[in-house]
Amino acid sequence: MKFLDQAKIYVRSGDGGDGVTAFRREKYIEFGGPDGGNGGRGGDIIFEAVANLNTLIDFRYTQHFRAKKGGNGAGSDRTGAAAPAVVIQVPVGTQIMDDDRETLLADLDKPGKRVTLCTGGDGGFGNANYKTSTNRAPRRSDKGWPGEERWVWLRLKLIADVGLVGLPNAGKSTFLAATSAARPKIADYPFTTLHPQLGVVRLSMTEEFVIADIPGLIEGAHEGTGLGDRFLGHVERCAALLHLIDGAAGDVVDAWRTIRNELEAYGGGLAEKPEVIALNKCDAMTPQQISGRKRALERASGAKVMVISGVSRQGVPELLRDLFTNVQNARAERAAEEAE
């Protein structure tokens, strides 16, 4: 299945049905009076978040969604039928943006969450609605109200607990494959990962969390260099960031600063998220190199640096436990906020 995280679509709710002008005509009833019914309501456009979708690829092939018009009224005070709503199913984590791509209209961040984006038009009044003591035979009936229409952008931000960031070839895909059942593409050249990957890490029967691996960042990514920084949106919802640094590549401090600068340039609160720094590929370094590079990285970042190897799994269990502690803290804070 192809991965698509942005799509532009057109939505239009249904017009209201027309009211009618009608009069009651029956044998032996000389003055039956008006009995034209009202029009039915037009269909709504509703977006719903569902758990079994993880891409917006369906919207590449279907980009126009129109609800039906409400039924017209009829004689004998019969109201027209209301048109059914059009329910558009999207993955959990989808944001609905206005055509300017800046105004947030809705954020569908929970399974089953619904939002009515375009409301159907009201039905027009039939002539029975206008009868009064002085106007006993009105011939006025109204057209239905028009529905709403707009172009919107759908942007998918994956729901994950931990986001993997780092330079290309830092070992992110190898780490994801070693800690979860995900099978991302792994190769010895940059930009092997071209779209985000998710993996579920299970520490025990009751302890698990989701890791999101995004394409590697390089210097100037916020200006469009490489694959750009568009995929950073997928880690905006994460509780913590796992910053993998290739220890065998040489200047680890420069690699750390490059990613930190890109996170700050992107914004979205990424630079303020808890960051766990891991010096990867320790099996390709000597003990002296490991000690020196770890010390330099801790001095530059002011944080604890963990030494791991995604291939041999050295240090990986301790790192996963540290990440899960951050995830638990974020979940507890979220639960406390919802309780208030």
Side-chain angles (χ1 to χ4, degrees), residues 158-199:
L158 297 176
I159 304 294
D161 298 305
V162 175
L164 269 175
V165 296
L167 293 172
N169 271 11
K172 300 186 294 300
S173 297
T174 302
F175 179 84
L176 184 67
T179 56
S180 71
R183 291 295 173 262
K185 183 179 179 181
I186 300 174
D188 59 352
Y189 53 84
F191 298 112
T192 308
T193 302
L194 297 178
H195 57 77
Q197 301 273 357
L198 291 180

Side-chain angles (χ1 to χ4, degrees), residues 19-23 25 34-37 74-75 125-128 137-142:
V20 299
T21 299
F23 293 90
R25 292 183 177 85
D35 66 352
F125 288 137
N127 68 331
R139 285 172 169 76
R140 173 184 173 182
S141 59
D142 297 337

Side-chain angles (χ1 to χ4, degrees), residues 193-205:
T193 302
L194 297 178
H195 57 77
Q197 301 273 357
L198 291 180
V200 179
V201 177
R202 287 185 172 87
L203 301 180
S204 67
M205 293 294 291

Side-chain angles (χ1 to χ4, degrees), residues 256-295:
W256 175 79
R257 284 177 177 156
T258 297
I259 298 300
R260 290 301 302 178
N261 291 338
E262 293 304 321
L263 294 179
E264 292 172 2
Y266 178 83
L270 290 183
E272 289 75 40
K273 287 185 179 295
E275 181 188 33
V276 177
I277 304 174
L279 192 62
N280 196 16
K281 304 183 182 180
C282 67
D283 50 350
M285 295 183 286
T286 64
Q288 292 78 12
Q289 289 175 328
I290 294 175
S291 175
R293 292 170 186 177
K294 178 184 177 183
R295 193 163 50 248

Side-chain angles (χ1 to χ4, degrees), residues 149-163:
E149 62 178 342
R150 66 194 317 163
W151 285 91
V152 296
W153 279 92
L154 304 181
R155 184 181 183 190
L156 175 60
K157 293 184 178 180
L158 297 176
I159 304 294
D161 298 305
V162 175

Side-chain angles (χ1 to χ4, degrees), residues 241-258:
L241 298 178
L242 172 56
H243 189 166
L244 283 185
I245 299 174
D246 184 359
D251 193 347
V252 294
V253 173
D254 184 60
W256 175 79
R257 284 177 177 156
T258 297

